[in-house]
Amino acid sequence: MNTKKFKNLILFQFFLTISLAIKALFYPYALAPEELSTAILAYDDLQPLPDTFTSIMIFVILIISIVSLIMVYKLKKIGRLLYLIAIAASFLLIFSGSYFVYDPLELFLEITITFISGAVISLAYFSSLSKSFK
C-alpha cells in the first residue's frame, strides 16, 4: 500500500468519527421507533453523570486520539504508539459506562471505525509503510 492510500484511510476514519459524533449528539435514536426512542431518552435522563475521573479520561483520550491521528497522517513514529494507546484506552473506557443502545446507523459507523482502526494499526506496524514512519 502506498502512503497516499494510507493517508486517505486515515482521513476516511476521521470523517466517519466526526459523522458518528454529530449523529450521536444531535440525532440520537433517529432511526429508532418513536415509542422506543422516547423510552430510551427517558432512561438516559435517569442515569447519573459520569464521575470526574471518567470525564477527565474521556477528554484525555479525545485529545490523544486527535493528536495521534495527525501524527500518523504525517507518518511520525511516535504517532503510531500514541494511536495504539488511544485505541486501547478507548476500548477500556467502554467498561466505565452503563447500558447504551445503538441505532443501526450508529452501530454501522462504530463497527466501520473499529475496522479502519485495526487496518491503520496493522498497516502502520506490519506493512512496507512501517519503514516510512520517522
Side-chain angles (χ1 to χ4, degrees):
M1 173 176 266
N2 61 15
T3 57
K4 182 174 173 58
K5 288 181 183 177
F6 181 72
K7 288 182 176 187
N8 286 339
L9 187 65
I10 293 170
L11 288 176
F12 185 58
Q13 179 186 6
F14 183 73
F15 170 73
L16 286 179
T17 304
I18 296 298
S19 300
L20 178 64
I22 290 171
K23 160 68 175 85
L25 290 174
F26 297 114
Y27 306 105
Y29 317 117
L31 299 178
E34 185 66 33
E35 297 84 18
L36 180 61
S37 177
T38 304
I40 294 170
L41 288 172
Y43 174 78
D44 287 346
D45 289 341
L46 296 174
Q47 296 303 309
L49 293 173
D51 61 345
T52 306
F53 177 75
T54 304
S55 299
I56 291 171
M57 289 309 296
I58 289 171
F59 183 71
V60 168
I61 291 171
L62 178 67
I63 297 300
I64 291 173
S65 296
I66 292 169
V67 169
S68 68
L69 266 178
I70 292 169
M71 293 179 84
V72 168
Y73 184 82
K74 292 181 177 182
L75 301 174
K76 302 288 185 185
K77 197 168 196 169
I78 189 72
R80 292 188 310 181
L81 181 62
L82 283 176
Y83 187 78
L84 190 61
I85 290 170
I87 296 298
S90 67
F91 284 142
L92 291 175
L93 195 61
I94 291 171
F95 296 110
S96 69
S98 63
Y99 182 73
F100 188 77
V101 177
Y102 285 109
D103 69 3
L105 181 59
E106 283 181 69
L107 185 61
F108 174 75
L109 290 173
E110 183 69 34
I111 290 172
T112 305
I113 290 167
T114 304
F115 283 147
I116 292 173
S117 298
V120 167
I121 290 171
S122 64
L123 290 171
Y125 279 101
F126 304 115
S127 74
S128 59
L129 281 174
S130 64
K131 297 174 184 128
S132 300
F133 283 87
K134 299 173 184 148

